Amino acid sequence: MKVFNINHGSAIPLHLQVEDLLRELIKNPEYQEGKLLPNEVALAKQLGISRNTVRQATNKLVFERLLIRKKGVGTTVSKDNITTKLDKWSSFTHEMGEKGVTFRNYEIGVSLIDADDEIRRLFNITRKSKVVKLERLRGLDSGPVVLFISYFHPRVGLTGEEDFTQPLYDMLERTYHTVAAVSKEGISAILADKELSEKLEIEVGDPVLFRKRVVCDPGGRPIEYNLGYYRADRFTYTIEIERG
Amino acid sequence: MKVFNINHGSAIPLHLQVEDLLRELIKNPEYQEGKLLPNEVALAKQLGISRNTVRQATNKLVFERLLIRKKGVGTTVSKDNITTKLDKWSSFTHEMGEKGVTFRNYEIGVSLIDADDEIRRLFNITRKSKVVKLERLRGLDSGPVVLFISYFHPRVGLTGEEDFTQPLYDMLERTYHTVAAVSKEGISAILADKELSEKLEIEVGDPVLFRKRVVCDPGGRPIEYNLGYYRADRFTYTIEIERG
DNA sequence: TATGTCTATATGTTCATACATATTCAACTA
DNA sequence: TAGTTGAATATGTATGAACATATAGACATA
């Protein structure tokens, strides 16, 4: 059993040390399953610090909704499922990285295809144009969570040779000097068909959160058409909105 | 010039009162333009409370990135908080009205119920509190589109006698002088159960877009918990996002 | 069987206090 | 003039203490 300790003389403030310690501690399965954390007074005593300092540390985690405190009961780990914020519009890789969740690619496929009607209209391109289609299945260790299908405007000049393991929009910016600026999204619910059910490892007819996204450059011209199919049991879209 | 005051005897904790006060204060143009807020010690003295309590209030705003504290300098309002006006945030009636679609109520039910655990936790109320539950089935001439279920914090003082045919948030503002300011949403996909299928006039197992929404007052305290069940075949959630 | 009451427990709130440290700016110095 | 020093100021960190209040469980009561 690993023992956590606090260094009073360190340059690192105590509450930050405690915060880190707690972040490690709550990875323990028993806490993930809902067991109460050591209470504040005991924790303070055990670490040789004051209760206020413990609270200063837990405050941050409570704010992040990682911990839930209940008066008269105790403190537990929040068991919210994976969420993402729409307000910080960013690539999925980033969102996941921020939360300390390990996200990885299951499958990546790149191909050069003929644009269908919808895509031609969106990108305003001619009948004969080819577009790059990027298919990514992403998820956690426990299994796939989302299937992304992206189509890119020929203007970005993708060849199909790119490294798509890095965060997507970073790559676009760095490599193509294209700054993604505006995104339009539509969210809907659908049922999994055979192909989706196989890829997402669910049953045919299971609910899937379907998200369309059009990413435009600063001039408002579409550069990417992105379809996202999320396993509804593992993913919730979270939005925080402030009124002007 | 409006004077802000703190009520020591109130049931509302001091730090929440200070938080509200600051949220109002920083709307002042001079602070929006970068002027330093009154320093913590002065603020505490002026309000007749301790510096710790002032910090407890500002901590929250700092965490929300509304305020920026700089050691040795002072505290200012964050400038880039303009970021994501996911504006368009408005009641469903408005959204539809803007689109020129005639929306009407199919069914409205109001009842006074005992709060369950989730609602008690959200509203931070005691076991015995009753809350108003508002159920609205809305749609077009062609049939229902969405089932709304709302729970209101006792603080808004609903009695069940209200006229719920008018746009909801307008009514709240006009009638209760409560300005809904922040909304948190989670969107997910579910399958229709028997009750849902009957109300929305679909089949059991059809996909339904499920949206949870927490509406808070300017102090960040929840005033409404709103569940929306949308027929996926008739409704798509649309979001437009601009990057800061 | 309910219902109510008490109690131990854990978090919630608030205060007074002390010292650490980053920033600014003015005064001093090479 | 350029650079250093030092005081004033503001936030950052940390402690100890006290009382408030919600919760769960044990116990007693109708």
Side-chain angles (χ1 to χ4, degrees):
Chain A
M1 176 60 160
K2 187 180 173 185
V3 178
F4 296 103
N5 268 316
I6 291 294
N7 178 2
H8 257 80
S10 164
I12 301 170
L14 293 176
H15 72 269
L16 288 182
Q17 295 183 49
V18 176
E19 188 189 322
D20 287 349
L21 183 159
L22 287 171
R23 282 185 199 277
E24 285 305 314
L25 183 66
I26 64 181
K27 286 179 185 168
N28 196 316
E30 48 187 333
Y31 294 123
Q32 292 290 338
E33 286 159 17
K35 193 189 164 200
L36 289 174
L37 293 187
N39 76 63
E40 296 171 352
V41 179
L43 204 53
K45 197 168 183 177
Q46 190 185 321
L47 297 174
I49 60 179
S50 79
R51 183 184 162 213
N52 280 344
T53 303
V54 172
R55 276 183 75 83
Q56 195 175 351
T58 50
N59 270 339
K60 200 159 160 189
L61 303 181
V62 168
F63 234 131
E64 289 178 19
R65 294 168 187 253
L66 236 92
L67 294 183
I68 293 179
R69 288 199 288 227
K70 262 177 102 173
K71 194 193 285 197
V73 181
T75 303
T76 55
V77 174
S78 166
K79 49 184 180 299
D80 278 353
N81 45 356
I82 310 157
T83 59
T84 186
K85 283 198 176 179
L86 269 187
D87 65 342
K88 300 274 170 214
W89 176 74
S90 56
S91 83
F92 202 66
T93 311
H94 268 164
E95 288 163 14
M96 289 301 143
E98 282 166 13
K99 293 221 169 69
V101 178
T102 312
F103 228 72
R104 61 184 178 84
N105 290 305
Y106 270 64
E107 268 182 54
I108 294 186
V110 189
S111 54
L112 205 58
I113 62 157
D114 291 309
D116 64 20
D117 278 349
E118 186 178 9
I119 291 174
R120 282 210 306 279
R121 197 165 45 243
L122 179 67
F123 286 161
N124 193 30
I125 55 180
T126 64
R127 179 170 301 277
K128 282 176 289 188
S129 293
K130 299 241 178 197
V131 296
V132 169
K133 174 182 177 180
L134 170 62
E135 200 170 333
R136 290 170 300 159
L137 183 62
R138 316 204 69 209
L140 306 168
D141 291 334
S142 54
V145 171
V146 56
L147 173 69
F148 282 136
I149 298 179
S150 295
Y151 300 93
F152 292 94
H153 192 287
R155 177 158 49 86
V156 305
L158 292 178
T159 64
E161 304 290 323
E162 290 78 11
D163 175 14
F164 284 104
T165 56
Q166 28 180 338
L168 184 59
Y169 299 107
D170 273 7
M171 189 208 66
L172 276 179
E173 259 186 70
R174 249 199 332 279
T175 311
Y176 304 104
H177 308 289
T178 303
V179 181
V182 179
S183 165
K184 294 178 189 175
E185 302 201 340
I187 301 176
S188 171
I190 62 171
L191 303 184
D193 59 15
K194 188 155 182 301
E195 187 193 346
L196 262 182
S197 70
E198 281 166 5
K199 292 197 167 160
L200 292 176
E201 294 175 14
I202 54 180
E203 300 296 319
V204 172
D206 278 354
V208 172
L209 196 61
F210 172 49
R211 192 212 55 191
K212 280 187 184 187
R213 174 187 275 174
V214 178
V215 180
C216 302
D217 68 12
R221 290 182 306 232
I223 56 177
E224 186 204 349
Y225 182 43
N226 179 278
L227 310 176
Y229 301 88
Y230 298 83
R231 274 183 66 153
D233 58 340
R234 290 194 177 158
F235 191 81
T236 300
Y237 232 70
T238 301
I239 308 168
E240 190 158 337
I241 306 167
E242 279 191 50
R243 199 189 205 167
Chain B
M1 176 61 162
K2 188 181 172 185
V3 178
F4 297 105
N5 269 315
I6 292 293
N7 177 3
H8 258 82
S10 164
I12 301 171
L14 292 178
H15 68 90
L16 288 182
Q17 294 183 49
V18 176
E19 189 190 321
D20 285 352
L21 183 159
L22 287 172
R23 283 185 198 275
E24 284 304 314
L25 184 66
I26 65 181
K27 285 180 184 167
N28 196 314
E30 47 186 335
Y31 294 122
Q32 293 289 339
E33 286 159 17
K35 193 188 162 199
L36 289 172
L37 294 185
N39 76 63
E40 296 171 352
V41 180
L43 204 53
K45 197 167 183 180
Q46 190 185 320
L47 297 174
I49 61 179
S50 80
R51 186 185 159 210
N52 281 346
T53 304
V54 172
R55 275 183 75 82
Q56 194 175 352
T58 49
N59 271 340
K60 198 157 162 192
L61 303 182
V62 168
F63 198 91
E64 288 178 18
R65 291 199 269 197
L66 238 100
L67 294 183
I68 294 179
R69 287 199 289 228
K70 268 175 92 173
K71 195 194 282 195
V73 181
T75 303
T76 54
V77 174
S78 169
K79 291 186 286 291
D80 55 22
N81 61 0
I82 321 138
T83 50
T84 32
K85 301 273 157 133
L86 264 185
D87 49 32
K88 294 296 167 198
W89 178 75
S90 53
S91 78
F92 200 68
T93 310
H94 272 166
E95 288 166 15
M96 290 302 143
E98 283 165 13
K99 292 206 175 81
V101 178
T102 311
F103 227 69
R104 63 183 179 84
N105 289 306
Y106 271 65
E107 266 182 57
I108 294 185
V110 188
S111 54
L112 205 59
I113 62 157
D114 291 311
D116 65 19
D117 277 351
E118 187 178 7
I119 291 173
R120 281 211 307 276
R121 197 164 48 242
L122 178 69
F123 286 161
N124 193 30
I125 55 179
T126 64
R127 172 177 304 275
K128 281 176 290 191
S129 295
K130 298 245 179 195
V131 296
V132 169
K133 175 183 178 181
L134 171 62
E135 201 171 331
R136 289 169 301 158
L137 183 63
R138 316 203 71 208
L140 306 168
D141 290 336
S142 53
V145 171
V146 55
L147 173 67
F148 282 136
I149 298 180
S150 294
Y151 301 91
F152 293 93
H153 193 289
R155 180 156 48 86
V156 305
L158 292 178
T159 63
E161 306 289 327
E162 290 77 12
D163 174 15
F164 284 103
T165 55
Q166 28 182 336
L168 185 58
Y169 299 107
D170 274 4
M171 185 207 69
L172 276 178
E173 260 188 68
R174 248 200 330 279
T175 311
Y176 303 104
H177 309 290
T178 303
V179 180
V182 179
S183 165
K184 293 176 190 176
E185 302 201 340
I187 302 176
S188 173
I190 61 172
L191 303 183
D193 59 15
K194 188 154 181 300
E195 188 193 346
L196 262 183
S197 69
E198 282 166 2
K199 292 197 168 161
L200 292 176
E201 295 176 11
I202 53 179
E203 299 297 317
V204 172
D206 278 354
V208 171
L209 195 62
F210 173 47
R211 193 214 55 192
K212 282 188 182 187
R213 174 187 275 174
V214 178
V215 179
C216 303
D217 68 12
R221 291 185 301 250
I223 57 177
E224 185 203 350
Y225 182 43
N226 180 278
L227 310 176
Y229 301 87
Y230 298 82
R231 275 183 65 154
D233 58 339
R234 291 193 177 161
F235 188 80
T236 300
Y237 228 70
T238 303
I239 305 165
E240 189 158 339
I241 305 166
E242 279 189 52
R243 199 189 202 170

Short mmCIF file of all heavy atoms in Angstrom, two decimals, chain A residues 40 43 57 68 112 128 130 164 173 187 198 206 217 224 229 238:
data_model
loop_
_atom_site.label_atom_id
_atom_site.label_comp_id
_atom_site.label_asym_id
_atom_site.label_seq_id
_atom_site.Cartn_x
_atom_site.Cartn_y
_atom_site.Cartn_z
N GLU A 40 -12.40 15.17 6.31
CA GLU A 40 -11.48 16.29 6.27
C GLU A 40 -10.62 16.38 7.53
O GLU A 40 -9.41 16.64 7.44
CB GLU A 40 -12.26 17.59 6.08
CG GLU A 40 -12.98 17.66 4.75
CD GLU A 40 -13.92 18.85 4.67
OE1 GLU A 40 -14.10 19.53 5.71
OE2 GLU A 40 -14.45 19.10 3.59
N LEU A 43 -8.09 13.55 7.57
CA LEU A 43 -7.08 13.76 6.54
C LEU A 43 -6.08 14.83 6.98
O LEU A 43 -4.87 14.67 6.83
CB LEU A 43 -7.76 14.17 5.24
CG LEU A 43 -7.01 13.92 3.93
CD1 LEU A 43 -6.58 12.46 3.84
CD2 LEU A 43 -7.89 14.28 2.75
N ALA A 57 -7.65 22.38 -1.03
CA ALA A 57 -7.31 21.42 -2.09
C ALA A 57 -8.58 20.80 -2.68
O ALA A 57 -8.75 20.75 -3.90
CB ALA A 57 -6.40 20.34 -1.54
N ILE A 68 -17.60 15.07 -5.00
CA ILE A 68 -18.89 15.57 -4.55
C ILE A 68 -18.92 15.52 -3.03
O ILE A 68 -18.69 14.47 -2.44
CB ILE A 68 -20.04 14.71 -5.11
CG1 ILE A 68 -20.12 14.88 -6.62
CG2 ILE A 68 -21.36 15.10 -4.47
CD1 ILE A 68 -21.20 14.06 -7.26
N LEU A 112 -9.44 8.70 -50.73
CA LEU A 112 -9.78 9.78 -51.65
C LEU A 112 -11.03 9.33 -52.39
O LEU A 112 -11.02 8.32 -53.09
CB LEU A 112 -8.61 9.97 -52.63
CG LEU A 112 -8.46 11.34 -53.28
CD1 LEU A 112 -8.32 12.41 -52.22
CD2 LEU A 112 -7.27 11.33 -54.21
N LYS A 128 -16.52 16.61 -60.69
CA LYS A 128 -15.44 15.66 -60.82
C LYS A 128 -14.42 15.69 -59.65
O LYS A 128 -13.52 14.88 -59.62
CB LYS A 128 -14.68 15.89 -62.14
CG LYS A 128 -15.41 15.33 -63.35
CD LYS A 128 -14.68 15.68 -64.61
CE LYS A 128 -14.79 17.17 -64.91
NZ LYS A 128 -14.25 17.51 -66.25
N LYS A 130 -12.40 15.30 -56.27
CA LYS A 130 -12.23 14.27 -55.26
C LYS A 130 -12.00 14.95 -53.91
O LYS A 130 -11.40 16.01 -53.83
CB LYS A 130 -11.01 13.40 -55.58
CG LYS A 130 -11.12 12.68 -56.91
CD LYS A 130 -11.07 11.18 -56.70
CE LYS A 130 -11.24 10.44 -58.01
NZ LYS A 130 -11.58 9.05 -57.80
N PHE A 164 -2.59 11.40 -38.82
CA PHE A 164 -3.85 11.81 -38.22
C PHE A 164 -3.97 11.39 -36.76
O PHE A 164 -5.04 11.39 -36.20
CB PHE A 164 -5.01 11.24 -39.02
CG PHE A 164 -5.25 11.97 -40.29
CD1 PHE A 164 -4.87 11.44 -41.50
CD2 PHE A 164 -5.84 13.23 -40.27
CE1 PHE A 164 -5.08 12.14 -42.67
CE2 PHE A 164 -6.05 13.93 -41.44
CZ PHE A 164 -5.68 13.38 -42.64
N GLU A 173 -4.01 23.57 -38.53
CA GLU A 173 -3.46 24.91 -38.38
C GLU A 173 -1.99 24.94 -38.71
O GLU A 173 -1.51 25.78 -39.45
CB GLU A 173 -3.66 25.40 -36.93
CG GLU A 173 -4.82 26.35 -36.79
CD GLU A 173 -4.91 26.93 -35.40
OE1 GLU A 173 -4.03 27.74 -35.03
OE2 GLU A 173 -5.83 26.55 -34.69
N ILE A 187 -27.33 18.42 -33.75
CA ILE A 187 -27.28 17.19 -32.96
C ILE A 187 -28.62 16.48 -33.04
O ILE A 187 -29.67 17.11 -32.97
CB ILE A 187 -26.97 17.50 -31.49
CG1 ILE A 187 -25.63 18.22 -31.39
CG2 ILE A 187 -26.94 16.23 -30.67
CD1 ILE A 187 -25.29 18.64 -30.00
N GLU A 198 -21.55 -2.59 -35.32
CA GLU A 198 -20.31 -3.36 -35.32
C GLU A 198 -19.12 -2.51 -34.91
O GLU A 198 -18.29 -2.91 -34.09
CB GLU A 198 -20.06 -3.95 -36.71
CG GLU A 198 -20.91 -5.20 -36.97
CD GLU A 198 -20.92 -5.60 -38.45
OE1 GLU A 198 -20.21 -4.95 -39.25
OE2 GLU A 198 -21.65 -6.54 -38.79
N ASP A 206 -29.62 0.22 -30.89
CA ASP A 206 -29.23 1.00 -29.71
C ASP A 206 -29.17 2.49 -30.08
O ASP A 206 -28.91 2.83 -31.22
CB ASP A 206 -27.84 0.55 -29.21
CG ASP A 206 -27.93 -0.70 -28.34
OD1 ASP A 206 -29.05 -1.13 -28.05
OD2 ASP A 206 -26.88 -1.22 -27.95
N ASP A 217 -13.43 28.26 -42.33
CA ASP A 217 -12.27 29.12 -42.10
C ASP A 217 -12.78 30.50 -41.71
O ASP A 217 -13.98 30.74 -41.71
CB ASP A 217 -11.36 29.13 -43.33
CG ASP A 217 -12.01 29.84 -44.52
OD1 ASP A 217 -13.04 30.50 -44.33
OD2 ASP A 217 -11.49 29.71 -45.62
N GLU A 224 -14.22 21.66 -43.56
CA GLU A 224 -14.39 20.28 -43.12
C GLU A 224 -15.85 20.00 -42.83
O GLU A 224 -16.57 20.82 -42.27
CB GLU A 224 -13.57 20.00 -41.85
CG GLU A 224 -13.59 18.54 -41.43
CD GLU A 224 -13.31 18.34 -39.94
OE1 GLU A 224 -12.90 19.30 -39.27
OE2 GLU A 224 -13.52 17.22 -39.46
N TYR A 229 -20.61 9.94 -34.54
CA TYR A 229 -21.62 9.01 -34.01
C TYR A 229 -21.17 8.56 -32.63
O TYR A 229 -20.20 7.82 -32.51
CB TYR A 229 -21.76 7.81 -34.93
CG TYR A 229 -22.17 8.15 -36.34
CD1 TYR A 229 -21.22 8.46 -37.30
CD2 TYR A 229 -23.52 8.18 -36.71
CE1 TYR A 229 -21.60 8.78 -38.61
CE2 TYR A 229 -23.90 8.50 -38.01
CZ TYR A 229 -22.93 8.80 -38.95
OH TYR A 229 -23.30 9.12 -40.23
N THR A 238 -22.12 18.10 -23.33
CA THR A 238 -22.41 19.11 -22.32
C THR A 238 -22.15 20.50 -22.87
O THR A 238 -21.14 20.74 -23.49
CB THR A 238 -21.55 18.88 -21.08
OG1 THR A 238 -21.83 17.60 -20.56
CG2 THR A 238 -21.86 19.93 -20.02
#
